[in-house]
Amino acid sequence: MTKPLKLDPDRLFPADERTRSITRALYREVAGLPIISPHGHTDPKWFATDENWSNATELLLSPDHYLYRMLYSQGVALDDLCVPSKAGMPGTDPRKAWRTFAENIHLFRGTPSSMWLGHVFAEVFGFDVALDVSTADLYYDRINEKLASDAFKPRALFDRFGIEFLATTEGPQDDLAPHHTIRDSGWKGRVVTTYRPDAVIDVEHEQFAGAMKVFAEKTGQDVWSWDGYLAAHRKRRADFRAAGATATDHGHPTAQTANLGYDEAERLFRTILSDSWTPEDAELFRAQMLTEMAAMSAEDGMVMQIHPGSFRNHNGGLFASHGRDKGADIPTRTDYVHALKPLLDRFGTSTTLSIILFTLDETVYARELAPLAGHYPCLKLGPSWWFHDSPEGMRRFREQVTETAGFYNTVGFNDDTRAFLSIPARHDVARRIDCGFLGQLVAEGRLLDWEAFELAHELTNGLVRKAYKIDQQAPAPIAAAA
Amino acid sequence: MTKPLKLDPDRLFPADERTRSITRALYREVAGLPIISPHGHTDPKWFATDENWSNATELLLSPDHYLYRMLYSQGVALDDLCVPSKAGMPGTDPRKAWRTFAENIHLFRGTPSSMWLGHVFAEVFGFDVALDVSTADLYYDRINEKLASDAFKPRALFDRFGIEFLATTEGPQDDLAPHHTIRDSGWKGRVVTTYRPDAVIDVEHEQFAGAMKVFAEKTGQDVWSWDGYLAAHRKRRADFRAAGATATDHGHPTAQTANLGYDEAERLFRTILSDSWTPEDAELFRAQMLTEMAAMSAEDGMVMQIHPGSFRNHNGGLFASHGRDKGADIPTRTDYVHALKPLLDRFGTSTTLSIILFTLDETVYARELAPLAGHYPCLKLGPSWWFHDSPEGMRRFREQVTETAGFYNTVGFNDDTRAFLSIPARHDVARRIDCGFLGQLVAEGRLLDWEAFELAHELTNGLVRKAYKIDQQAPAPIAAAA
Amino acid sequence: MTKPLKLDPDRLFPADERTRSITRALYREVAGLPIISPHGHTDPKWFATDENWSNATELLLSPDHYLYRMLYSQGVALDDLCVPSKAGMPGTDPRKAWRTFAENIHLFRGTPSSMWLGHVFAEVFGFDVALDVSTADLYYDRINEKLASDAFKPRALFDRFGIEFLATTEGPQDDLAPHHTIRDSGWKGRVVTTYRPDAVIDVEHEQFAGAMKVFAEKTGQDVWSWDGYLAAHRKRRADFRAAGATATDHGHPTAQTANLGYDEAERLFRTILSDSWTPEDAELFRAQMLTEMAAMSAEDGMVMQIHPGSFRNHNGGLFASHGRDKGADIPTRTDYVHALKPLLDRFGTSTTLSIILFTLDETVYARELAPLAGHYPCLKLGPSWWFHDSPEGMRRFREQVTETAGFYNTVGFNDDTRAFLSIPARHDVARRIDCGFLGQLVAEGRLLDWEAFELAHELTNGLVRKAYKIDQQAPAPIAAAA
């Protein structure tokens, strides 16, 4: 017997009726506002080529580590889910992988994935029965059928979703051609890149050597000299701005920054390029480069995003067989107060620098991040993120940050996703939770009605526009870029 | 004037009526299910001899560090509470100790002890007046009278409580005779042991030398050679399995693991047995032994429980006068991400190993434990535990773990208690809190009714059965054990 | 158009009606009880001279780092807010500063400052329109007019606020004359000092050298010898007791304590006074001095307050231009379990020593502080404090501490403020939150009505009286003090 799928219109609102009715009114105000997605990992080629996606498994399951990590944790092999290994896509029939997913759908109960999936199935594909083992084929066939239609091409969905701004993430070694194709195509959708230079900054990154070579080629600079290396970053940042970028993104193991003199930095750079660097050298170089990137941001106005604290590729065996970004990154304890001081000593009072801090360690919300952002003019706080982009995680963020940093030192919501179809679902969850938080403040007499309405708009669209300089960025002339 | 004692049938349910009525329905489903207690510290001799307990003080107060640590913190001397010191039981009249307890009963307001005591007094002993200074004698006399009756013998209460499975904890140096007596007695109650080898693994344990001697005697192995030592563990694990054990239990100061080669491990073992080991050697040996125990579990199928992070015997003066387990263990900050990597590098993808992780450091729930258990097939999460086995603690556990690990990477409830009479109370609190959490998910449209009902059963009985292999363990032939 | 200002009589009460009505009844019991403020930073000269305050800006804005740090974080210059720098009060017109504040009042939405300001404006000054850019001048003029009246002199407000006890904080180098003036004046208000010796204990404190000189003068001791230094502390503590002090206060970077022998301590002291001390020496000396202060407290009965974990003067540029206490102190991760052990090994079981612990690191509530205070007789827990003195912060404190330490190991509320006019507002917020927490326990069947009423009184007045020995301290004869 199939179970019905029906989204509760009041879902995620606080249960208490007094609070719920305020929340409902707030949500009505912002539910239909455009989606601004300033930080994510969708593939720009989708929007450049606008080709149809292949099938449900390859679009929804294979690339989404939120989904397959949970199945893997319960003993399902990644091969059985069509997750590509270093050897390429496994031979598994995608329909069979979809059935395996459907059989295990109960594992997601109570997780944000369950909210997102329900929204995608009901709102994007129009299902009114739930996914389970009995409906797996029905789902698989109907999704594939829709994906083959014009209405489900990437640009059509982008427009249907009401997306106003979508940032992808590329490295200096990556090709910006898809972004140029998008801009040249005449399509009005605003898809921009973000400058993420980790692979040419982190000598412990397995792609470092290769990325440096491409970095040299694409910039024409001698990236093996300190001056040339910095010049190459400047050149590439300009290329990225030409491709619409308003921001940079830095995913370091820690938040450590450094503020070395020129000679010391130059010497460190030479060590990094030699064969004799230590892990401490690698850490110090990453630290110094955060400060160098801040210096460039103070010059060129690119907003700087720092998200430290992930122990990448924790599962050694899986990294060997499947490579990075396979759901095996685990958060670690992270310090900001000591780590950021060198950078802040140099730029803390800058009026042109803007840094958005993220964390995977929630203990720092009230202790470190809110006090830092509630003091330093250059600091803002990114939303609860990655493992914490859940209803509970978002509540904890607001409850622990607002008291000291207020709302105006935060920057709205980031979906941070590779799963394009889940973007409306994720923004919807965030709007519901934010309205619920505001509703509670009103119900407890801590905020007036009209203040809550103003804030609902700010949290949905106002703050993100300002923080990412979305209205400020002049559409630059398209430079000849590699 | 005496105050009435009356348990609120809706106690611990969320106050909001919408949520409360869903919770009530869920709780009705599971309130009467059998108790499965896979981790605890009751005394197997109680069930072996089935002798009556002596009096209220010696059963309820003297052994329960939850109670006497609170009284001690407010200046009551342990001697006045009949807490045994190294010199033995103090001369205090147990009735006088009980009165002291009653006089200070207000100290427990708002604590889980207060919930548990209320349940024990009302449900087990049938009191309808509250314990305070005016009823202290009434309580003392009536409890003692009941304890002297057949209906209050250990086995009778075990049956009355609806306990299906009760694990105690013994070391390799302990006598398993009580467990064999229980099995031989024809009584149907399933009381099993758990293998807890800390005293022969932790050279900093004050009983190490003595325990090693007994370990040698009981196994007939040369425990002072590395090979003999490992063989002795294998032998003793088999003895424990024969006494019903399905699990091992490891209470280390940290979660550190190591993965040394044979020669290095053998050398370290020799250092540990010498007089010249350092604290770092002791830590490394404990770390290595966690991995050795994992290796044996991967062979023999025993579920491995790791609960790090307690600073044992913090109060030096009290340890000198009263010894260990006197309420002076204090939690410390605990890392899992780096600490477990050596073990996980070797066994993380094993399909036969199962490890249940506990913590005393709640900051790791969302940051470390849920991400680890939501990825590695061999890892599951034990419930909120010890200092955190409170209503608020259980809520924090569910709120911070479910979003990333889901429900199916958790293992149900453990009471972890020495206080046998409080077992039904503790399981009842857990069921109420779990149903309240599920009720909130339903009220917020995050879970459907029928899913919540299924989950209520899983959280109460389903997951614990699977995690501890309770139905799997074949009743082994009883080996000749010391 | 002006917006109305009207305080919700049910503000901060839980929204759920069942819980709210219980909370309302509890709050009615304690709303009018006297204010006991045992820890704060108001200026005793106000009460000694009883002169009128100058204007709204200089009373409410310039000294309150809660307010100007938020404005600074959004790019407002401190000069524009009349915050004094090392060069003195900036030339900004105070009315203009007040307007800048009013223009940015939205930044405080959702913060405790917004609750406190609303209370001060409505209850102390009688406004019924909200502060914004349109009412800035109205506010400024009316506040100044009131401040010039007799009814708004410091002592008149003290009496009107119903303050029974108010502690200020002074160092050994400070003049106690204002306190003696107060006592000699015949005014009945009880304003007392607190002994805070950081400036003569912390060699890294920028005022150390100067403070030591005054310390020597005021005590007549050879403070550059170890014995003389300790004797000077004893002498000065006696002076402070004579000025009404019942407590000492220690704001160290960490909670580290030490327990050195006499010779070692004496040698360390000489190192500290030399030019060759290291940061480790400075830390060890602070650690040793906590234990020395505990020893003196065990003798003279002064309650000891320890509040570690602030990274002082984090913003190097701002410290250079404006000095300390300018909103640039940032909390850091703090350990208590290892740090306090040396002190506790010596005094943990003392029956005359009483230590109140504070934290800026909420992760220690459930993990370290509640277990420590729930065991050691000499330890009590100070309330959620500084960055965490918000409604959410207070709830987290109760939720994470009560389960293990109960209510009776806590000490009521501290306002810890320099903002005298906000004292009633802050105590009102605390009473509302505490009543809401108790109300929730009743609504969930975890506490009986009459217990909640008793506890409401304890949390408001009972526990603070006992913890700070407010009724115990015999009004000492006024010693001749510098």
Side-chain angles (χ1 to χ4, degrees):
Chain A
M1 207 192 74
T2 60
K3 311 272 188 189
L5 172 67
K6 194 172 168 322
L7 303 184
D8 181 346
D10 285 343
R11 63 192 181 278
L12 295 175
F13 295 167
D16 167 66
E17 191 52 43
R18 184 197 316 265
T19 315
R20 179 167 282 197
S21 67
I22 304 166
T23 302
R24 216 181 266 132
L26 291 167
Y27 175 71
R28 258 198 307 267
E29 276 282 308
V30 299
L33 293 181
I35 288 176
I36 295 173
S37 172
H39 178 121
H41 303 284
T42 53
D43 187 340
K45 286 197 214 82
W46 295 338
F47 308 103
T49 64
D50 203 30
E51 284 171 12
N52 290 94
W53 282 290
S54 51
N55 65 58
T57 297
E58 283 171 37
L59 175 60
L60 299 173
L61 181 56
S62 310
D64 190 347
H65 59 62
Y66 279 79
L67 297 184
Y68 62 71
R69 82 191 302 277
M70 177 67 91
L71 299 162
Y72 179 80
S73 82
Q74 289 277 318
V76 181
L78 293 187
D79 277 2
D80 294 344
L81 299 168
C82 290
V83 177
S85 73
K86 285 185 171 170
M89 186 60 90
T92 314
D93 175 5
R95 177 184 297 272
K96 207 168 152 239
W98 185 262
R99 282 181 192 154
T100 303
F101 172 47
E103 267 163 41
N104 288 284
I105 196 77
H106 61 282
L107 299 178
F108 298 99
R109 287 173 186 165
T111 70
S113 293
S114 146
M115 301 293 304
W116 300 329
L117 288 170
H119 190 282
V120 169
F121 293 157
E123 297 285 312
V124 182
F125 291 107
F127 285 103
D128 58 7
V129 295
L131 175 65
D132 61 24
V133 71
S134 76
T135 58
D137 281 338
L138 172 77
Y139 260 72
Y140 191 72
D141 293 331
R142 195 180 309 166
I143 290 174
N144 290 359
E145 191 186 314
K146 298 228 174 191
L147 289 181
S149 70
D150 281 355
F152 281 75
K153 287 186 164 189
R155 291 184 186 176
L157 284 181
F158 186 102
D159 294 338
R160 176 178 154 199
F161 289 168
I163 299 177
E164 181 184 322
F165 181 95
L166 180 72
T168 68
T169 309
E170 277 79 39
Q173 75 282 15
D174 289 329
D175 193 356
L176 295 178
H179 283 282
H180 294 294
T181 305
I182 293 167
R183 295 200 140 200
D184 292 343
S185 74
W187 176 55
K188 296 272 176 277
R190 189 163 170 201
V191 178
V192 308
T193 185
T194 304
Y195 188 64
R196 178 155 179 178
D198 297 357
V200 299
I201 282 179
D202 182 2
V203 67
E204 296 181 309
H205 196 293
E206 77 279 8
Q207 297 161 4
F208 180 75
M212 283 290 280
K213 253 190 82 195
V214 184
F215 193 35
E217 289 161 17
K218 284 199 187 291
T219 59
Q221 299 289 329
D222 172 14
V223 303
W224 291 277
S225 80
W226 180 228
D227 289 338
Y229 176 76
L230 293 177
H233 275 291
R234 276 194 198 91
K235 170 79 177 62
R236 207 65 185 127
R237 291 169 67 106
D239 294 344
F240 273 62
R241 283 198 304 286
T246 70
T248 71
D249 183 27
H250 307 273
H252 286 202
T254 74
Q256 193 60 54
T257 62
N259 193 7
L260 306 176
Y262 179 88
D263 288 352
E264 248 182 314
E266 199 271 336
R267 212 158 37 233
L268 176 62
F269 183 66
R270 268 188 284 131
T271 305
I272 287 300
L273 295 186
S274 75
D275 283 342
S276 59
W277 54 267
T278 64
E280 291 70 36
D281 295 325
E283 172 73 355
L284 184 58
F285 186 69
R286 289 188 298 259
Q288 178 62 22
M289 282 309 297
L290 280 184
T291 307
E292 300 290 347
M293 290 289 112
M296 293 187 198
S297 275
E299 279 170 28
D300 66 20
M302 293 181 88
V303 174
M304 189 174 180
Q305 299 173 91
I306 305 180
H307 58 264
S310 181
F311 189 127
R312 302 276 170 181
N313 314 310
H314 191 273
N315 185 331
L318 189 73
F319 182 58
S321 63
H322 284 71
R324 62 170 46 227
D325 295 328
K326 290 295 175 296
D329 298 342
I330 309 287
T332 56
R333 208 151 58 204
T334 309
D335 157 75
Y336 293 79
V337 177
H338 302 90
L340 292 177
K341 191 160 165 46
L343 189 159
L344 291 170
D345 278 345
R346 192 158 149 205
F347 291 111
T349 56
S350 160
T351 54
T352 57
L353 178 65
S354 180
I355 300 177
I356 299 174
L357 297 175
F358 295 81
T359 196
L360 290 170
D361 177 358
E362 294 179 315
T363 68
V364 303
Y365 284 159
R367 187 183 61 216
E368 305 183 24
L369 290 186
L372 284 167
H375 170 71
Y376 281 103
C378 66
L379 297 181
K380 297 275 176 296
L381 300 186
S384 58
W385 175 72
W386 200 348
F387 289 101
H388 310 309
D389 54 0
S390 59
E392 300 300 344
M394 292 174 186
R395 283 175 189 157
R396 288 195 292 270
F397 175 77
R398 290 286 174 214
E399 285 170 5
Q400 294 174 28
V401 154
T402 309
E403 55 199 12
T404 293
F407 290 106
Y408 291 85
N409 283 306
T410 65
V411 303
F413 177 64
N414 285 3
D415 56 69
D416 182 40
T417 193
R418 292 156 210 277
F420 178 61
L421 268 61
S422 76
I423 287 180
R426 289 169 190 257
H427 285 259
D428 186 62
V429 168
R431 290 172 191 194
R432 287 171 180 274
I433 296 294
D434 279 342
C435 289
F437 183 70
L438 294 171
Q440 194 195 331
L441 293 186
V442 174
E444 294 183 358
R446 297 160 68 180
L447 208 59
L448 296 173
D449 270 53
W450 65 271
E451 293 177 311
F453 277 91
E454 258 188 49
L455 280 168
H457 280 273
E458 287 288 1
L459 300 187
T460 307
N461 274 181
L463 296 173
V464 65
R465 269 184 209 287
K466 242 177 298 172
Y468 284 90
K469 304 187 177 178
I470 283 170
D471 301 321
Q472 234 172 290
Q473 199 249 16
I478 296 171
Chain B
M1 208 192 72
T2 61
K3 311 272 186 188
L5 172 66
K6 197 173 165 321
L7 301 185
D8 181 345
D10 285 343
R11 64 192 180 278
L12 295 175
F13 295 167
D16 167 66
E17 190 51 41
R18 184 197 315 266
T19 314
R20 180 167 282 199
S21 68
I22 304 166
T23 302
R24 216 181 266 131
L26 291 168
Y27 176 71
R28 259 198 306 266
E29 276 283 306
V30 300
L33 292 182
I35 288 175
I36 295 174
S37 172
H39 178 122
H41 303 285
T42 51
D43 187 340
K45 286 197 213 85
W46 294 337
F47 309 103
T49 64
D50 202 31
E51 284 172 10
N52 289 95
W53 281 290
S54 51
N55 66 58
T57 296
E58 284 172 36
L59 175 60
L60 299 173
L61 180 57
S62 311
D64 190 346
H65 59 64
Y66 280 79
L67 297 183
Y68 62 72
R69 81 191 303 277
M70 176 66 91
L71 299 162
Y72 179 80
S73 81
Q74 290 276 318
V76 181
L78 293 186
D79 277 2
D80 294 343
L81 299 168
C82 289
V83 177
S85 73
K86 285 185 172 172
M89 186 59 90
T92 313
D93 175 4
R95 177 184 297 273
K96 206 168 153 237
W98 185 262
R99 283 181 190 153
T100 303
F101 172 48
E103 267 164 40
N104 288 284
I105 196 77
H106 62 282
L107 299 179
F108 297 99
R109 286 174 187 165
T111 71
S113 292
S114 144
M115 301 293 303
W116 301 328
L117 288 169
H119 190 282
V120 170
F121 293 156
E123 297 286 311
V124 181
F125 291 107
F127 284 105
D128 58 8
V129 296
L131 175 64
D132 61 23
V133 71
S134 76
T135 58
D137 281 336
L138 171 77
Y139 261 71
Y140 190 72
D141 292 331
R142 195 180 310 166
I143 290 174
N144 290 359
E145 189 186 316
K146 298 228 173 190
L147 289 181
S149 71
D150 282 354
F152 281 76
K153 286 186 165 189
R155 292 184 186 176
L157 284 180
F158 185 102
D159 294 338
R160 176 178 154 199
F161 289 169
I163 300 176
E164 182 183 323
F165 182 95
L166 179 73
T168 67
T169 308
E170 277 79 38
Q173 74 282 16
D174 288 330
D175 192 355
L176 296 177
H179 284 281
H180 293 294
T181 305
I182 294 168
R183 296 199 139 201
D184 291 344
S185 73
W187 176 54
K188 296 272 177 276
R190 191 164 169 199
V191 177
V192 308
T193 185
T194 303
Y195 187 64
R196 177 156 181 178
D198 298 357
V200 299
I201 283 179
D202 182 2
V203 67
E204 296 180 310
H205 195 296
E206 77 279 7
Q207 296 161 4
F208 180 75
M212 283 290 279
K213 252 188 84 196
V214 184
F215 194 35
E217 289 160 17
K218 283 197 187 289
T219 58
Q221 299 289 329
D222 172 14
V223 303
W224 291 277
S225 80
W226 179 229
D227 288 339
Y229 176 76
L230 293 176
H233 275 292
R234 276 195 199 90
K235 171 79 177 61
R236 207 63 185 129
R237 291 169 67 105
D239 293 344
F240 273 63
R241 284 198 303 287
T246 71
T248 72
D249 182 27
H250 307 274
H252 286 201
T254 74
Q256 193 61 52
T257 63
N259 193 7
L260 306 176
Y262 179 88
D263 288 352
E264 246 182 315
E266 198 273 335
R267 212 158 38 234
L268 175 62
F269 183 65
R270 267 188 284 130
T271 305
I272 287 300
L273 296 186
S274 75
D275 283 344
S276 59
W277 54 266
T278 64
E280 290 70 34
D281 295 325
E283 172 73 353
L284 184 58
F285 187 69
R286 289 188 299 257
Q288 178 62 22
M289 282 309 296
L290 280 185
T291 307
E292 300 291 347
M293 290 289 112
M296 292 186 198
S297 275
E299 279 169 29
D300 65 19
M302 293 181 88
V303 174
M304 189 174 179
Q305 300 173 92
I306 305 181
H307 57 264
S310 181
F311 189 126
R312 302 275 171 181
N313 315 311
H314 191 273
N315 186 330
L318 188 72
F319 181 58
S321 63
H322 284 72
R324 62 170 45 226
D325 295 327
K326 289 296 175 296
D329 299 342
I330 310 287
T332 56
R333 208 152 57 203
T334 309
D335 158 75
Y336 292 79
V337 177
H338 302 90
L340 292 177
K341 191 160 165 45
L343 188 158
L344 291 170
D345 277 345
R346 193 158 149 206
F347 291 111
T349 56
S350 159
T351 54
T352 56
L353 178 65
S354 180
I355 300 177
I356 299 173
L357 298 174
F358 294 81
T359 195
L360 289 170
D361 178 357
E362 294 179 316
T363 69
V364 303
Y365 284 158
R367 187 181 62 215
E368 304 183 23
L369 290 185
L372 285 167
H375 170 71
Y376 281 103
C378 67
L379 296 181
K380 296 275 176 296
L381 300 186
S384 57
W385 175 70
W386 200 348
F387 289 102
H388 310 309
D389 56 359
S390 58
E392 301 299 344
M394 290 175 186
R395 283 175 189 158
R396 287 194 293 269
F397 175 78
R398 290 286 174 214
E399 285 170 5
Q400 295 174 28
V401 154
T402 310
E403 55 199 12
T404 293
F407 290 105
Y408 292 84
N409 283 307
T410 64
V411 303
F413 177 66
N414 286 3
D415 55 68
D416 181 41
T417 194
R418 292 157 210 277
F420 179 61
L421 269 60
S422 75
I423 287 181
R426 289 169 190 256
H427 284 259
D428 186 63
V429 168
R431 290 171 191 193
R432 288 171 179 273
I433 295 295
D434 279 343
C435 288
F437 182 71
L438 294 172
Q440 194 195 330
L441 293 185
V442 173
E444 294 183 358
R446 297 160 67 181
L447 207 59
L448 297 173
D449 270 53
W450 65 271
E451 294 178 310
F453 277 91
E454 257 188 51
L455 281 168
H457 279 274
E458 287 288 359
L459 300 187
T460 307
N461 273 181
L463 295 173
V464 65
R465 269 183 208 288
K466 243 177 298 171
Y468 285 89
K469 304 187 178 179
I470 283 170
D471 300 322
Q472 235 173 288
Q473 198 249 16
I478 296 172
Chain C
M1 208 191 74
T2 61
K3 311 273 188 188
L5 172 66
K6 196 174 166 322
L7 302 185
D8 181 345
D10 284 344
R11 66 192 179 278
L12 296 175
F13 295 167
D16 167 67
E17 190 51 42
R18 185 198 315 266
T19 315
R20 180 168 282 198
S21 67
I22 304 166
T23 302
R24 215 181 267 133
L26 290 167
Y27 176 71
R28 258 198 307 266
E29 277 281 307
V30 300
L33 292 182
I35 288 176
I36 295 173
S37 173
H39 178 120
H41 302 285
T42 52
D43 187 340
K45 286 196 213 83
W46 294 338
F47 309 103
T49 64
D50 203 29
E51 284 172 11
N52 289 94
W53 281 290
S54 51
N55 64 57
T57 296
E58 283 172 38
L59 175 61
L60 298 174
L61 180 57
S62 311
D64 190 345
H65 58 64
Y66 279 78
L67 297 184
Y68 62 71
R69 81 191 303 276
M70 178 66 92
L71 300 162
Y72 179 80
S73 81
Q74 289 277 318
V76 181
L78 293 186
D79 277 1
D80 294 343
L81 299 168
C82 290
V83 178
S85 73
K86 285 185 171 171
M89 187 59 91
T92 313
D93 175 4
R95 177 185 297 273
K96 205 167 155 239
W98 185 261
R99 284 181 190 155
T100 303
F101 172 49
E103 267 163 40
N104 288 284
I105 196 78
H106 62 282
L107 298 179
F108 297 98
R109 287 173 187 166
T111 69
S113 293
S114 145
M115 302 293 304
W116 300 329
L117 288 169
H119 190 283
V120 169
F121 294 157
E123 297 285 311
V124 181
F125 291 107
F127 285 104
D128 58 7
V129 296
L131 175 64
D132 61 24
V133 70
S134 76
T135 57
D137 281 337
L138 172 76
Y139 260 72
Y140 191 72
D141 292 331
R142 196 179 310 166
I143 290 174
N144 290 359
E145 190 185 315
K146 298 228 173 191
L147 289 181
S149 70
D150 281 354
F152 281 75
K153 287 186 164 189
R155 291 184 186 178
L157 285 180
F158 185 102
D159 293 338
R160 175 178 153 200
F161 289 168
I163 299 176
E164 182 183 323
F165 182 95
L166 179 73
T168 68
T169 309
E170 278 79 38
Q173 74 281 18
D174 288 329
D175 193 355
L176 295 178
H179 284 282
H180 293 294
T181 306
I182 293 167
R183 297 199 139 201
D184 292 343
S185 73
W187 176 53
K188 295 273 176 278
R190 190 164 169 200
V191 177
V192 309
T193 185
T194 303
Y195 188 64
R196 178 154 180 178
D198 297 357
V200 299
I201 282 178
D202 183 1
V203 68
E204 296 180 310
H205 196 295
E206 77 279 7
Q207 297 161 4
F208 180 74
M212 283 290 280
K213 252 188 86 195
V214 184
F215 194 36
E217 289 160 17
K218 284 199 186 292
T219 59
Q221 298 289 330
D222 172 15
V223 303
W224 291 277
S225 81
W226 180 228
D227 288 340
Y229 176 76
L230 292 177
H233 275 292
R234 276 194 199 91
K235 170 79 176 63
R236 206 65 184 129
R237 291 169 66 105
D239 294 344
F240 273 63
R241 284 198 303 286
T246 71
T248 72
D249 183 26
H250 307 273
H252 286 202
T254 74
Q256 193 59 54
T257 63
N259 193 7
L260 306 177
Y262 179 88
D263 288 352
E264 248 183 314
E266 199 272 337
R267 212 158 38 233
L268 175 63
F269 183 64
R270 268 188 284 129
T271 305
I272 287 300
L273 296 187
S274 75
D275 283 342
S276 59
W277 54 267
T278 64
E280 290 71 35
D281 294 326
E283 172 73 354
L284 184 58
F285 186 69
R286 289 187 299 257
Q288 179 62 23
M289 282 309 297
L290 281 184
T291 308
E292 300 291 347
M293 289 290 113
M296 292 186 199
S297 275
E299 279 170 29
D300 65 20
M302 293 181 88
V303 174
M304 188 173 181
Q305 299 174 92
I306 305 181
H307 57 265
S310 182
F311 189 127
R312 302 276 171 180
N313 314 311
H314 192 273
N315 186 331
L318 189 73
F319 181 58
S321 63
H322 285 71
R324 60 169 48 226
D325 294 328
K326 289 296 176 293
D329 298 342
I330 310 287
T332 56
R333 208 151 59 204
T334 308
D335 157 75
Y336 293 78
V337 177
H338 302 91
L340 292 178
K341 191 160 166 45
L343 188 159
L344 291 170
D345 278 345
R346 193 159 149 204
F347 291 111
T349 56
S350 159
T351 53
T352 57
L353 178 64
S354 181
I355 300 178
I356 300 173
L357 298 175
F358 295 81
T359 196
L360 290 170
D361 177 358
E362 292 179 318
T363 69
V364 304
Y365 283 158
R367 188 182 60 216
E368 305 183 23
L369 291 186
L372 284 166
H375 170 70
Y376 281 102
C378 66
L379 297 181
K380 296 274 176 296
L381 301 185
S384 58
W385 174 70
W386 199 347
F387 289 102
H388 310 310
D389 55 359
S390 58
E392 300 300 345
M394 290 174 187
R395 283 176 189 157
R396 287 195 292 270
F397 175 78
R398 290 286 174 213
E399 284 170 6
Q400 294 174 29
V401 154
T402 310
E403 54 199 12
T404 294
F407 290 106
Y408 292 83
N409 283 306
T410 64
V411 303
F413 178 65
N414 285 4
D415 55 69
D416 181 40
T417 194
R418 292 156 211 278
F420 178 61
L421 268 60
S422 75
I423 286 179
R426 289 168 189 257
H427 285 260
D428 186 62
V429 168
R431 290 172 190 193
R432 289 171 178 273
I433 295 294
D434 279 342
C435 288
F437 182 70
L438 294 172
Q440 194 194 331
L441 294 185
V442 174
E444 294 183 358
R446 297 160 68 181
L447 207 60
L448 297 173
D449 271 55
W450 65 271
E451 293 178 311
F453 277 90
E454 258 188 51
L455 281 168
H457 279 274
E458 286 288 1
L459 300 187
T460 307
N461 273 181
L463 295 173
V464 65
R465 270 184 207 285
K466 242 176 297 171
Y468 285 89
K469 304 187 177 179
I470 283 170
D471 301 321
Q472 235 173 288
Q473 200 250 15
I478 297 172

